[in-house]
């Protein structure tokens, strides 16, 4: 049904004539619906705060995340000035959690962006052109899907060396596969739509149709999928760090903090509680926003 | 969405596990009237072929099945095993062992041929034993192992069915310690020759020790029963042993706590202090002959400078790591040969070891500056360490160096791969551990001999050092030999070719009901000495302890 409510930029000029009467674009409609969703708004506010903390927090704290304070091993929360306590070698847990948040958010957002760009371009092209091109492009996706992820990451590491940037890239380069499939499916149904027919009849070139008419209409499902990909990526990163291919000490991520906390949880419960809380809150925010976006953009749900 | 749920689930499970209450003991079924011991090995057994095993956990199983010429007593000292007595020739090069009248578990007699066959088999290149080099003390062993001589050329022969004679390359006062080692166990020639590798299957496997193999299911357990043909079978209390590959150490602890297992080893180091309060009476720690140390890739110019190596060694706060981070009673190491080695007097540790830490850092900074490293030109290198480190000790070392402006990049590497990389010198600065195969300083010092090759990770090549070791090999007087070895270690420590980090302790959680589980520097715990405090001897038909 989404095909029946084109969000092509062209439709905005059509709405202009009605300005005196209504004056609201479909995007504005969606935004209003999103803002009416309390969970989504709360999610956005909390996530905003988390991002602010991740960006500016480390500069404001009295402790560095990699500062080993030998007298503060396993300091409890509030002890010796450590708000959330200290870890097994005397590093401030608040500082480490915030740095972990920064790394996890960074990886989540960058890797998702990479997957978004590749996935949407690939899927939209395959879906729109169809036929043999589609076959070839989707078989490439199938082959990449079959490639074991860890194997792929090891290959990257061997070729380019260890680098946190590579992890971003590696995860993004794998996550785009699902995105491409979703986008392709949507595109195939969109290209039957009247406004695409019209554009084709008007002689708009293929690339123009894909990027001006089809891609903007994909934004609904894509936006939802993106908010759900970010937590997936964060999880993948913690897996990689766990097997020693992700971020390395003293840098940390939420996944690493949680796995180290789990190993020490009987000695120091705070080492697992606070990083897990940060992770859960962040993931819930993303999920509420994702739900809210889906409800807001889906035209069926008016 | 599903992924998200899985993640939430994982976090929830992790949290839920932290609060798990007392678990019910689920013991393997034990035949009525029998005494069964449940033992966690800490790792999966890959082989039970005495000529092929490598791990200490494998020797736990095989050492209960097989007995060599000498065996360990409860405290790890060599006592007569298959041999009741032995003679040494005047030049120390010929050892003659006189065997007792004993049988394999299939009733065949144990003969001198079984020992000859075992030594020839382990040295054959086709066997590919990782431990063959340990036996190079025997005449022609090296040539046989490298395929340059036939197996029959090795210095061992059966004088008669009950007498076996070993000829050595050089006198080896530690031969009895070596004779305890798994590489010297006999194999049943009559079975191995007939069945080939099939002899390892339960049902085919024949042993000469206190136990015989019943079953072996990979990933599940190995079961051994008392061997009624063992010459001291009447002194063996435990009728059946179940060995489990408890790869997850924390779950192993919990199983001991609940009573599903009687003992499990090893422990995560930083949990020892906690477990001592959580499971009083269960935790056993004992000094053990092992050293964790760091090696330099000396093909890199930065590590060719002794001042750099010295500065890095000096500035590691070993006391902080052993006392606060690992916290399981391991002593910090300044020497390479661990304390407790027999017939050895360690050289005094370097003078700086006694300095206050601040002074050490100041001196290390001075050395680095003298070598041309400073804030403008920081020393940078990659630090490859083994496995995953829940204690954070490598990060603590890294932080010590960072305070001096040294930038070490930590690289967690899977243990086997780490050793592989270091053997081919695909590393810059690496973390290694060495645990004694036999109780002698030579077993540590030979690692840094120039001819050792791959395992001489720092590529130490000092003719004086090599000459001292060769001299020690030919010295029969134990006191003089100790002095020579001490000079060699001193020389090597002064050259700072390795950075000793800490010495080992063995750790296990063992139910206080278990008796005969004595601490020893070899960390060998033979089940034949074990029993339960409340167990009736199995000869009496009393009820087995619960289970």
């Amino acid at each position: 049904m989404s095909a029946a409510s084109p969000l092509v930029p062209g439709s905005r000029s059509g709405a202009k004539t009605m300005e005196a009467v209504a004056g609201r674009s479909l995007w504005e409609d969606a935004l209003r619906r999103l803002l009416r969703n309390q969970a989504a708004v709360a999610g956005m506010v909390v996530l905003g705060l988390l991002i602010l903390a991740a960006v500016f927090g480390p500069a404001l704290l009295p402790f560095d995340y990699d500062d080993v304070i030998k007298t503060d091993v396993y300091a409890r929360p509030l002890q010796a000035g450590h708000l959330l306590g200290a870890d097994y070698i005397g590093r401030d847990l608040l500082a480490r959690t915030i740095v972990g948040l920064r790394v996890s958010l960074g990886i989540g957002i960058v890797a998702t962006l990479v997957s978004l760009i590749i996935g949407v371009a690939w899927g939209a092209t395959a879906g729109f052109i169809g036929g043999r091109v589609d076959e070839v492009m989707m078989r490439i996706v199938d082959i990449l899907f079959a490639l074991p992820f860890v194997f792929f990451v090891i290959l990257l590491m061997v070729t380019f060396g260890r680098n946190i940037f590579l992890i971003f890239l590696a995860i993004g380069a794998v996550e785009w596969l699902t995105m491409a499939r979703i986008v392709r499916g949507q595109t195939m149904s969109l290209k039957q739509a009247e406004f695409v027919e019209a554009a084709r009849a008007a002689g708009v070139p293929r690339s123009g149709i894909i990027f001006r008419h089809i891609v903007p209409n994909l934004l609904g499902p894509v936006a939802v999928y993106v908010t759900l990909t970010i937590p997936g990526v964060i999880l993948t990163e913690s897996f990689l760090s766990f097997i020693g291919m992700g971020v390395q000490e003293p840098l940390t991520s939420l996944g690493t903090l949680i796995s180290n906390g789990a190993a020490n949880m009987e000695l120091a419960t705070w080492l697992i509680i606070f990083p897990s809380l940060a992770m859960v809150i962040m993931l819930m925010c993303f999920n509420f926003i994702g739900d809210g976006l889906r409800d807001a953009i889906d035209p069926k749900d008016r | 969405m599903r992924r998200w749920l899985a993640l939430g689930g994982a976090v929830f499970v992790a949290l839920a596990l932290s609060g798990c209450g007392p678990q019910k003991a689920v013991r393997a079924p034990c035949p009525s009237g029998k005494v069964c011991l449940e033992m966690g090995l800490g790792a999966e057994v890959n082989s039970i072929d005495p000529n092929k095993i490598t791990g200490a956990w494998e020797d736990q199983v095989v050492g209960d099945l097989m007995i060599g010429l000498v065996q360990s007593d409860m405290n790890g000292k060599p006592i007569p095993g298959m041999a009741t007595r032995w003679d040494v020739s005047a030049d120390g090069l010929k050892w003659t062992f006189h065997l007792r009248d004993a049988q394999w578990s299939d009733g065949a007699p144990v003969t001198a041929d079984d020992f000859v066959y075992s030594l020839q088999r382990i040295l054959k290149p086709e066997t590919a034993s990782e431990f063959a080099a340990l036996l190079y003390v025997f005449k022609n062993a090296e040539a046989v192992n490298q395929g340059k001589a036939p197996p029959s050329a090795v210095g061992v022969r059966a004088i008669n069915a009950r007498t076996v004679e070993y000829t050595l390359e050089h006198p080896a006062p530690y031969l009895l310690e070596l004779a305890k080692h798994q590489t010297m166990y006999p194999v049943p020639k009559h079975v191995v020759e007939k069945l080939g590798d099939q002899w390892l299957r339960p049902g085919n496997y024949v042993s000469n020790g206190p136990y015989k193999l019943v079953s072996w299911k990979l990933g599940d357990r190995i079961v051994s029963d008392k061997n009624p043909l063992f010459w001291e079978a009447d002194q063996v209390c435990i009728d059946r042993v179940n060995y489990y590959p408890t790869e997850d150490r924390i779950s192993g602890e919990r199983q001991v706590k609940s009573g599903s297992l009687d003992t499990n080893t090893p422990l995560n180091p930083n949990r020892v202090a906690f477990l001592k309060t959580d499971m009083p009476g269960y935790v056993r720690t004992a000094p053990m002959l092992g050293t964790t140390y760091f090696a330099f890739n000396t093909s890199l110019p930065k590590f060719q400078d002794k001042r750099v190596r010295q500065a890095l060694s000096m500035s590691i706060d070993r006391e902080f790591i052993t006392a606060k981070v690992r916290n399981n009673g391991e002593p910090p190491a300044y020497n390479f040969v661990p304390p407790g080695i027999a017939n050895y007097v360690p050289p005094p540790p370097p003078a700086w070891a006694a300095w206050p830490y601040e002074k050490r850092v100041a001196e290390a900074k001075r050395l680095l500056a003298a070598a041309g490293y400073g804030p403008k030109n920081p020393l940078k290198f990659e630090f490859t360490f083994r496995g995953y480190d829940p204690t954070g000790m490598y990060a603590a070392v890294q932080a010590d160096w960072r305070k001096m402006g040294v930038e070490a990049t930590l690289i967690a590497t899977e243990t086997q791969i780490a050793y592989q990389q270091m053997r081919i010198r695909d590393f810059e600065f690496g973390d290694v551990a060495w645990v004694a195969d036999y109780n002698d300083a030579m077993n540590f010092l030979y690692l840094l001999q120039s001819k050792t090759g791959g395992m001489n990770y720092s590529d130490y090549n000092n003719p004086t050092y090599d000459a001292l070791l060769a001299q020690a090999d030919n010295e029969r007087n134990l006191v003089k030999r100790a002095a020579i070895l001490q000079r060699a270690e001193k020389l090597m420590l002064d050259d700072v070719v390795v950075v000793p980090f800490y010495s080992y302790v063995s750790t296990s959680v063992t139910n206080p009901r278990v008796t005969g589980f004595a601490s020893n520097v070899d960390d060998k715990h033979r089940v034949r000495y074990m029993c339960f405090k409340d167990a009736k001897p199995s000869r009496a038909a009393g009820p087995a302890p619960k289970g």
Side-chain angles (χ1 to χ4, degrees):
Chain A
M1 279 302 280
S2 57
S5 55
L7 292 171
V8 270
S11 68
R12 203 174 285 156
S13 56
K16 225 172 229 170
T17 55
M18 312 259 291
E19 218 162 24
V21 187
R24 238 164 54 197
S25 79
L26 290 164
W27 282 114
E28 281 171 294
D29 262 358
L31 187 66
R32 283 168 67 102
R33 278 196 298 274
L34 181 66
L35 291 178
R36 235 179 292 143
N37 185 331
Q38 286 176 351
V41 172
M44 286 190 279
V45 171
V46 175
L47 188 66
L49 290 176
L50 285 180
I51 292 176
L52 280 180
V55 174
F56 300 109
L60 303 175
L61 286 173
F63 299 102
D64 271 343
Y65 74 98
D66 55 359
D67 219 359
V68 172
I69 303 164
K70 293 183 179 174
T71 47
D72 292 355
V73 172
Y74 287 127
R76 292 173 172 283
L78 299 178
Q79 192 184 325
H82 299 287
L83 210 54
L84 303 185
D87 72 1
Y88 36 83
I89 56 174
R91 293 177 296 194
D92 185 61
L93 184 60
L94 179 59
R96 289 188 71 71
T97 308
I98 287 179
V99 165
L101 194 69
R102 177 191 268 187
V103 169
S104 290
L105 269 173
I107 291 183
I109 291 171
V110 174
T112 305
L113 225 66
V114 171
S115 83
L116 182 76
I117 294 165
I118 309 181
V120 168
W122 194 273
T125 311
F128 184 74
I129 297 175
R132 199 157 284 174
V133 175
D134 175 42
E135 281 285 318
V136 171
M137 288 178 86
M138 290 326 282
R139 287 309 77 73
I140 291 174
V141 169
D142 290 346
I143 289 168
L144 288 177
F145 248 122
L147 194 72
F149 176 61
V150 175
F151 180 71
F152 176 69
V153 174
I154 292 173
L155 271 184
L156 275 181
M157 300 251 163
V158 169
T159 339
F160 300 106
R162 273 160 205 275
N163 189 335
I164 189 166
F165 182 74
L166 262 187
I167 304 167
F168 290 29
L169 200 96
I171 298 177
V174 171
E175 288 290 334
W176 69 265
L177 299 172
T178 317
M179 183 73 83
R181 283 188 173 172
I182 291 175
V183 169
R184 170 179 172 266
Q186 284 288 322
T187 311
M188 290 181 64
S189 66
L190 275 180
K191 77 173 173 185
Q192 316 293 336
E194 290 89 347
F195 64 91
V196 176
E197 297 257 310
R200 198 176 291 151
V204 180
R206 261 184 188 174
S207 60
I209 295 177
I210 291 176
F211 290 104
R212 284 190 63 85
H213 296 268
I214 295 199
V215 168
N217 276 290
L218 291 169
L219 281 180
V222 166
V224 175
Y225 186 70
V226 160
T227 53
L228 300 178
T229 305
I230 294 175
V233 167
I234 290 170
L235 188 71
T236 312
E237 183 281 322
S238 36
F239 161 69
L240 280 182
S241 295
F242 186 83
I243 59 172
M245 288 194 272
V247 294
Q248 297 285 349
E249 291 272 9
L251 202 61
T252 192
S253 67
L254 287 181
T256 316
L257 280 174
I258 293 172
S259 83
N260 284 338
N264 289 285
M265 65 189 170
E266 278 152 314
L267 305 166
T269 40
W270 55 95
L271 289 183
I272 186 163
I273 290 177
F274 295 117
S276 308
L277 259 170
M279 180 98 149
V280 167
I281 292 173
M282 180 176 70
L283 297 187
M284 282 174 78
C285 288
F286 275 117
N287 227 50
F288 284 145
I289 297 171
D291 275 358
L293 269 181
R294 189 191 55 214
D295 292 348
I297 293 177
D298 188 353
K300 275 185 289 189
D301 205 39
R302 199 119 322 152
Chain B
M1 188 63 169
R2 195 179 296 155
R3 246 197 209 178
W4 188 84
L5 284 177
L7 177 77
V11 172
F12 178 75
V13 167
L15 286 174
L17 273 179
S18 68
C20 63
Q23 294 152 315
K24 226 172 70 192
V26 188
R27 282 179 79 95
C30 186
S32 80
K34 300 288 183 189
V35 182
C36 297
L37 183 83
E38 313 296 320
M39 178 177 263
L41 298 174
E44 182 75 57
V45 168
N46 292 317
S47 177
I48 50 170
D49 188 331
N51 293 159
K52 290 182 182 168
I53 56 176
T54 53
W57 61 95
E58 290 165 339
D59 183 49
Q60 176 66 54
V61 176
V62 178
D64 287 333
L65 296 167
M66 298 290 187
I67 282 198
L69 295 163
V70 294
Q71 58 176 331
S72 300
D73 74 357
M74 213 195 283
N75 300 311
K77 293 274 167 295
I79 55 168
M82 275 296 130
T84 49
R85 59 190 178 86
W86 44 87
D87 321 307
V88 193
S89 68
D91 58 2
L93 291 177
K94 273 196 167 41
W95 288 64
T96 313
F97 291 87
H98 304 278
L99 306 186
R100 69 175 74 235
D101 186 10
Q103 290 169 312
W104 291 101
S105 53
D106 62 354
V110 181
T111 66
D113 268 347
D114 294 321
F115 284 92
V116 174
Y117 181 71
S118 175
L119 188 61
Q120 292 175 350
R121 181 167 178 264
I122 194 170
L123 287 171
K124 271 197 299 195
E126 306 88 84
T127 310
S129 164
E130 286 184 35
F131 268 125
L134 206 60
L135 303 169
Y136 285 179
V137 61
F138 296 113
K139 193 149 192 68
N140 296 332
E142 191 169 357
V144 171
N145 191 229
Q146 286 164 359
K148 292 176 192 153
S152 56
V154 70
V156 60
R157 67 189 182 106
I159 292 178
N160 59 43
R162 299 256 293 277
T163 314
V164 56
E165 181 196 77
Y166 291 87
T167 311
L168 310 187
E169 288 278 351
H170 54 77
Y174 53 84
L175 193 78
L176 288 185
E177 289 288 343
L178 180 60
K180 283 192 318 193
H181 191 252
Q182 64 217 33
T183 48
M184 294 280 286
Y185 294 154
V187 294
K189 184 181 180 189
H190 62 290
V191 179
V192 181
E193 282 200 324
K194 196 170 88 193
L195 298 173
D197 278 344
Q198 293 296 307
W199 84 280
L200 294 171
R201 298 174 70 106
N204 295 345
Y205 196 88
V206 163
S207 59
N208 68 335
Y211 290 91
K212 55 179 188 175
L213 184 70
V214 174
S215 69
W216 176 16
K217 288 200 195 87
L218 214 60
D220 179 20
R221 70 181 123 152
I222 295 176
V223 184
S224 290
D225 272 355
K226 184 150 89 175
N227 173 10
L229 295 177
F230 178 56
W231 71 89
E232 283 173 345
D234 59 335
Q235 290 169 30
V236 176
C237 165
I238 306 284
D239 297 295
R240 168 169 285 191
V241 201
N242 291 308
Y243 304 93
Y244 299 88
T246 46
E247 305 239 357
D248 182 341
R249 296 172 179 189
I250 293 173
S251 116
E253 286 163 15
R254 295 201 174 113
Q255 290 180 62
V256 174
K257 190 176 181 182
S258 74
S260 309
L261 290 179
D262 296 309
T263 177
N264 188 58
T265 189
L267 306 175
N268 276 344
N270 57 353
R271 292 180 61 81
V272 170
F274 161 75
L275 289 173
K276 278 183 175 162
T277 57
D278 190 49
M279 297 165 71
Y282 278 74
V283 179
R284 318 246 176 144
T285 61
M288 186 180 159
L289 301 177
T291 305
T292 294
Y293 65 99
F294 303 137
F296 302 94
N297 185 341
T298 49
S299 67
L300 302 171
K302 56 190 164 195
F303 291 138
Q304 281 162 3
D305 190 331
K306 184 180 146 187
R307 291 170 297 189
V308 171
R309 302 196 302 263
Q310 179 76 73
L312 291 179
S313 177
M314 223 177 225
S315 51
I316 297 174
D317 193 350
R318 296 168 179 78
E319 284 74 15
F320 169 66
I321 284 159
T322 49
K324 291 277 197 61
V325 177
R326 289 183 68 83
N327 193 17
N328 63 346
E330 285 155 336
Y334 294 96
N335 285 358
F336 185 56
V337 179
I341 282 277
N343 302 317
Y344 188 62
V345 184
W352 53 262
W355 295 355
Y357 182 64
E358 289 67 32
K359 189 177 170 195
R360 276 157 60 175
V361 172
E363 173 65 11
K365 270 188 189 155
R366 196 190 62 76
L367 285 170
L368 280 178
Y373 295 101
K376 281 193 194 131
N377 178 25
L379 174 65
K380 290 184 189 174
F381 58 89
E382 290 184 343
F383 181 178
T384 304
F385 69 96
R386 292 162 300 142
Y388 155 71
D389 172 32
T391 64
M393 62 170 171
Y394 300 106
V397 171
Q398 182 192 38
D400 281 342
W401 289 333
R402 194 170 45 237
K403 284 185 183 148
M404 307 193 303
V406 173
E407 295 171 22
T409 312
L410 285 179
I411 300 181
T413 312
E414 207 263 314
T415 305
Q416 282 176 344
I417 295 173
Y419 279 119
Q420 187 58 39
Q421 288 181 344
M422 294 184 61
R423 233 171 265 145
I424 59 171
R425 307 290 185 261
D426 178 18
F427 78 109
E428 296 196 0
F429 185 85
D431 147 63
V432 205
W434 184 255
V435 175
D437 300 307
Y438 56 93
N439 189 347
D440 192 83
M442 188 60 97
N443 190 229
F444 282 84
L445 296 177
Y446 92 97
L447 285 173
L448 295 154
Q449 230 171 341
S450 58
K451 68 172 179 186
T452 296
M455 290 204 297
N456 179 5
Y457 302 109
S458 292
D459 281 317
Y460 188 41
N461 188 350
N462 183 334
T464 321
Y465 182 82
D466 292 349
L468 281 169
L469 291 200
Q471 192 189 342
D473 267 346
N474 288 306
E475 178 56 61
R476 292 199 61 207
N477 181 315
L478 285 176
V479 179
K480 283 188 194 155
R481 182 171 176 273
I484 298 168
L485 290 176
Q486 191 204 60
R487 270 173 59 207
E489 185 180 3
K490 180 87 175 52
L491 179 71
M492 181 271 285
L493 290 175
D494 286 346
D495 282 345
V496 208
V497 271
V498 293
V499 178
F501 189 28
Y502 59 85
S503 305
Y504 267 41
V505 294
S506 57
T507 51
S508 74
V509 274
T510 302
N511 196 309
R513 286 199 312 135
V514 177
T515 60
F517 188 100
S519 301
N520 56 56
V521 288
D522 295 339
D523 194 26
K524 295 286 182 214
H525 306 282
R526 300 300 183 209
V527 174
R528 59 167 300 195
Y529 302 119
M530 294 184 200
C531 198
F532 291 102
K533 269 181 190 155
D534 44 356
K536 297 210 171 72
S538 60
R539 285 154 290 157
K546 69 168 182 158

